[in-house]
Amino acid sequence: DAGVIQSPRHEVTEMGQEVTLRCKPISGHDYLFWYRQTMMRGLELLIYFNNNVPIDDSGMPEDRFSAKMPNASFSTLKIQPSEPRDSAVYFCASRITGSQETQYFGPGTRLLVL
Amino acid sequence: RKEVEQDPGPFNVPEGATVAFNCTYSNSASQSFFWYRQDCRKEPKLLMSVYSSGNEDGRFTAQLNRASQYISLLIRDSKLSDSATYLCVVNFASKIIFGSGTRLSIRP
């Protein structure tokens, strides 16, 4: 079975450019999470969706960050404009209701903003 | 104070040793608890849930102390393959909070 799929796996961009990260959750999962991981701050929850609806976006750092989930099989995290401090690994995770909160993580997108 | 705190380590122990990590959480209403494992440059993966009565999975034992607001992970007869970062996870009102992780390195 396919796990959570993320693309791209690596992204190098210049400050000021728009970055779009993509995620396909595991089929049938109704929760989707976006995380950011850095050495300094660890793993931070940015936003999560339930049945495609954003439930908690309190972790989104600022207006430059936006996330959408147009359907049950696809989500995007967009950074516009990007800044060097956005450099991190961005993980997408999904889970299904009743799974005792077990989340399945994608392989992550390593973002470097120069 | 951080909502979930862990000793960052690193813990460097010989193969076969027993090692234990603790994790403290600040919200007494936290509802569920987990340990995740993260290998270098990989994604976190669920290691085990932590139940109120304590639970064991092979060489791994997890315990919860609600009164003192901490959870623990004990690894017996450690293997080289146990080298990883162990993340403590606390769930409160559907908000999942990860600790910063404890690095474990097992030496031959």
Side-chain angles (χ1 to χ4, degrees):
Chain A
D1 288 342
V4 175
I5 298 172
Q6 290 186 246
S7 65
R9 294 292 304 276
H10 302 271
E11 177 82 28
V12 180
T13 191
E14 291 186 342
M15 184 174 63
Q17 296 298 305
E18 177 180 298
V19 175
T20 299
L21 311 181
R22 297 174 177 81
C23 175
K24 177 178 168 53
I26 293 173
S27 177
H29 283 197
D30 54 345
Y31 283 85
L32 183 141
F33 304 81
W34 281 102
Y35 291 89
R36 177 173 69 177
Q37 188 173 38
T38 61
M39 288 290 291
M40 291 295 294
R41 300 175 67 91
L43 195 63
E44 302 172 280
L45 176 64
L46 301 177
I47 185 173
Y48 78 91
F49 296 83
N50 180 220
N51 291 321
N52 314 339
V53 176
I55 303 300
D56 184 352
D57 65 354
S58 59
M60 295 286 262
E62 49 198 270
D63 292 346
R64 296 185 298 106
F65 285 69
S66 62
K68 294 182 180 179
M69 192 165 186
N71 57 63
S73 59
F74 183 65
S75 177
T76 59
L77 178 67
K78 187 174 293 187
I79 309 172
Q80 166 63 15
S82 57
E83 296 182 2
R85 60 192 169 123
D86 301 331
S87 299
V89 181
Y90 290 82
F91 287 105
C92 175
S94 70
R95 74 169 178 89
I96 191 168
T97 299
S99 65
Q100 290 188 321
E101 315 296 344
T102 304
Q103 295 188 28
Y104 295 86
F105 282 75
T109 295
R110 296 184 177 279
L111 174 64
L112 177 61
V113 183
L114 302 173
Chain B
R1 182 185 171 189
K2 286 186 179 178
E3 293 177 278
V4 177
E5 292 202 67
Q6 293 184 251
D7 182 340
F11 285 64
N12 189 320
V13 302
E15 199 173 3
T18 295
V19 61
F21 314 132
N22 278 346
C23 165
T24 58
Y25 59 95
S26 60
N27 193 323
S28 60
S30 297
Q31 297 161 315
S32 52
F33 309 87
F34 309 87
W35 284 102
Y36 274 69
R37 170 193 168 129
Q38 186 173 22
D39 292 299
C40 187
R41 300 181 72 83
K42 297 285 189 180
E43 70 273 21
K45 291 183 179 178
L46 179 67
L47 177 66
M48 59 195 302
S49 301
V50 186
Y51 302 123
S52 297
S53 55
N55 48 298
E56 193 173 299
D57 182 2
R59 298 182 293 109
F60 298 82
T61 300
Q63 293 198 314
L64 167 64
N65 185 319
R66 284 193 183 271
S68 301
Q69 294 180 209
Y70 77 83
I71 67 174
S72 64
L73 177 68
L74 180 79
I75 306 174
R76 290 182 302 278
D77 187 24
S78 54
K79 311 292 184 190
L80 294 175
S81 58
D82 294 335
S83 296
T85 296
Y86 291 83
L87 304 166
C88 166
V89 182
V90 174
N91 175 34
F92 167 68
S94 294
K95 184 173 181 180
I96 309 287
I97 302 169
F98 281 74
S100 298
T102 297
R103 277 177 48 209
L104 173 65
S105 179
I106 307 298
R107 62 179 188 270

